[in-house]
Amino acid sequence: MTQLCDPAQRRHWLGVLAQASPVELEQHLARRALPALHWLRRPETGLMMVRGRAGGTGAQFNLGEVSVTRCAVQDDAGRLGVGYVRGRVGRHAELVALFDLLLQDDIQRADLLPALIEPLAARQRAARATAGAQAAATRVEFFTLARGD
């Protein structure tokens, strides 16, 4: 019997899938048998407001808008897969929704977490670390000398 999955774990895999390359997801999907599906919402693109905070901790302000594509799919067991991705690539949102649906099944999750989600998450962490190191290398330290008054 399939149990409800942990919301924090689901949030994690949705984030990893949304940041993954659609090509990688297509390759993994080609090796999977899909259950009978019903598309509740085909991919549609819209805008979302991005909010920021002054100084990272201050008052919130509207930074700007970003394009987001979303979709939703359901299987015969009643599981609902959703996909939200930044940008206008409808197929990417479909892939995220399909994998979200598959990962809600206990058997599929036991296979997909180590085969797909964990390697993608590790590559994404490494890419962020590399980008952070490159940005840190360009950091300039400013200092002032006190005048002897």
Side-chain angles (χ1 to χ4, degrees):
M1 180 175 151
T2 300
Q3 299 173 355
L4 292 175
C5 58
D6 177 32
Q9 187 180 35
R10 187 174 183 203
R11 190 175 323 121
H12 170 70
W13 77 54
L14 282 170
V16 169
L17 291 168
Q19 294 176 27
S21 160
V23 173
E24 286 180 298
L25 297 179
E26 285 282 6
Q27 291 169 352
H28 279 277
L29 188 65
R31 298 183 287 229
R32 300 254 162 228
L34 295 176
L37 302 171
H38 310 283
W39 287 99
L40 302 177
R41 180 184 311 266
R42 287 285 181 180
E44 55 186 31
T45 301
L47 295 173
M48 290 182 77
M49 181 61 65
V50 177
R51 306 227 25 184
R53 287 190 179 271
T57 58
Q60 287 189 354
F61 64 95
N62 292 335
L63 186 61
E65 293 177 330
V66 64
S67 296
V68 174
T69 303
R70 67 180 180 174
C71 71
V73 64
Q74 190 172 30
D75 66 3
D76 288 337
R79 288 182 291 262
L80 177 67
V82 295
Y84 282 78
V85 296
R86 186 177 54 226
R88 304 179 61 84
V89 183
R91 182 61 181 159
H92 190 189
E94 286 179 352
L95 292 165
V96 171
L98 289 169
F99 278 111
D100 180 40
L101 181 102
L102 293 173
L103 282 158
Q104 291 178 56
D105 178 75
D106 294 336
I107 296 168
Q108 296 272 6
R109 183 171 50 248
D111 181 40
L112 282 170
L113 284 177
L116 175 65
I117 301 300
E118 291 171 10
L120 287 175
R123 281 199 295 277
Q124 291 169 5
R125 278 192 302 275
R128 280 192 298 274
T130 300
Q134 289 173 344
T138 64
R139 183 176 179 173
V140 177
E141 297 287 339
F142 291 97
F143 65 93
T144 59
L145 297 175
R147 296 168 88 187
D149 288 316

